[in-house]
Amino acid sequence: MTTMTAGKGRPPDSRIVVLGNSGVGKSALIVRFLTNRFIWEYDPTLERTYKHQTLLDDEPTLMEILDTAGQEETIQHEGNIRWADGFVLVYAINDRQSFEAAGVIKQHLDQVKKTNVLCTLVGNKVDLLHERRVGTDEGESLAQEMSCGFVETSASDGGEEIAEVFNELHRDIKRRKMVESKGRRRSSAQQVKHVFNRMLNKIGNSS
């Protein structure tokens, strides 16, 4: 079940932003994931947020997915970056400039988030192999350099790997949140213990 964001509801389990140059097929990838359909025409300047409710790993799951417009100022909008838990970085295999842009975007994400962000690199448009300008080995190498997953696919043809891009990223986000939550609980417990020990010391010194 997928709906456009509207009204209030429970907070999402993961917030995912899809980034990349204009024309690489960001919207087409998202729509293919959400509806298993391919869209030929869409407004590349329109930014949309989708809510996706599904059963993943036997658990009710709510994802929010932001489809960004292709303009550089939108791609690098810090509000979108801070909002997100993870990112899908898209380039087209027949557009070397979009491939190079993906690496620049990743560096910007890390700077804004002040951490190595969770992301997946996607080489789209493998249905246009005769126009290929970026090799699979180059995509794999960049993904390894960026410490993120890598997939080549076609939003036009579809494939199970498109769903796995979003589902695997959601799992990574969930794992990181669990680790961070445990860390916060441990830190909070240590603070309580520290305050308690100080109180005991004060009582001991006053008696």
Side-chain angles (χ1 to χ4, degrees):
M1 178 183 176
T2 303
T3 57
M4 298 287 289
T5 50
K8 294 182 179 180
R10 75 181 182 92
D13 301 301
S14 62
R15 293 185 173 97
I16 296 171
V17 173
V18 182
L19 298 169
N21 278 7
S22 181
V24 296
K26 299 185 298 294
S27 299
L29 277 170
I30 294 170
V31 172
R32 172 65 79 175
F33 168 58
L34 298 177
T35 69
N36 202 30
R37 294 198 306 267
F38 178 66
I39 52 172
W40 288 97
E41 294 182 3
Y42 50 87
D43 186 345
T45 65
L46 203 59
E47 196 169 273
R48 291 187 178 96
T49 306
Y50 300 90
K51 282 187 177 178
H52 177 57
Q53 292 179 315
T54 186
L55 196 65
L56 185 61
D57 302 330
D58 296 324
E59 290 186 5
T61 299
L62 177 60
M63 301 182 200
E64 269 191 33
I65 302 171
L66 174 61
D67 178 13
T68 58
Q71 287 74 16
E72 184 176 343
E73 61 270 17
T74 305
I75 290 173
Q76 299 194 353
H77 192 280
E78 290 194 7
N80 291 344
I81 296 172
R82 295 186 190 284
W83 175 86
D85 300 311
F87 302 86
V88 177
L89 308 181
V90 187
Y91 70 91
I93 67 158
N94 63 343
D95 181 353
R96 175 156 287 277
Q97 186 179 1
S98 70
F99 173 70
E100 293 169 353
V104 175
I105 293 170
K106 174 60 163 60
Q107 291 177 357
H108 181 65
L109 297 179
D110 289 342
Q111 289 171 359
V112 173
K113 294 287 248 185
K114 295 181 171 42
T115 184
N116 186 35
V117 300
L118 295 174
C119 67
T120 301
L121 181 66
V122 177
N124 191 30
K125 304 191 179 183
V126 293
D127 53 302
L128 302 176
L129 281 175
H130 58 289
E131 298 179 8
R132 183 188 280 276
R133 297 291 182 271
V134 182
T136 302
D137 57 335
E138 292 180 278
E140 290 173 342
S141 178
L142 180 60
Q144 189 172 11
E145 185 182 314
M146 299 193 304
S147 301
C148 68
F150 173 67
V151 168
E152 277 193 349
T153 189
S154 166
S156 173
D157 294 345
E160 291 182 3
E161 67 275 0
I162 294 177
E164 279 308 299
V165 165
F166 292 92
N167 291 340
E168 225 14 80
L169 186 55
H170 168 83
R171 292 183 182 108
D172 288 343
I173 290 167
K174 185 178 176 182
R175 282 191 286 267
R176 177 174 280 189
K177 284 185 174 182
M178 286 177 66
V179 169
E180 290 175 349
S181 176
K182 286 179 181 177
R184 283 194 296 269
R185 285 201 299 270
R186 192 179 300 115
S187 175
S188 178
Q190 287 172 345
Q191 288 176 359
V192 170
K193 184 178 178 181
H194 181 65
V195 170
F196 186 65
N197 286 338
R198 284 173 58 189
M199 289 174 60
L200 288 178
N201 287 335
K202 283 184 179 181
I203 293 170
N205 291 333
S206 62
S207 61

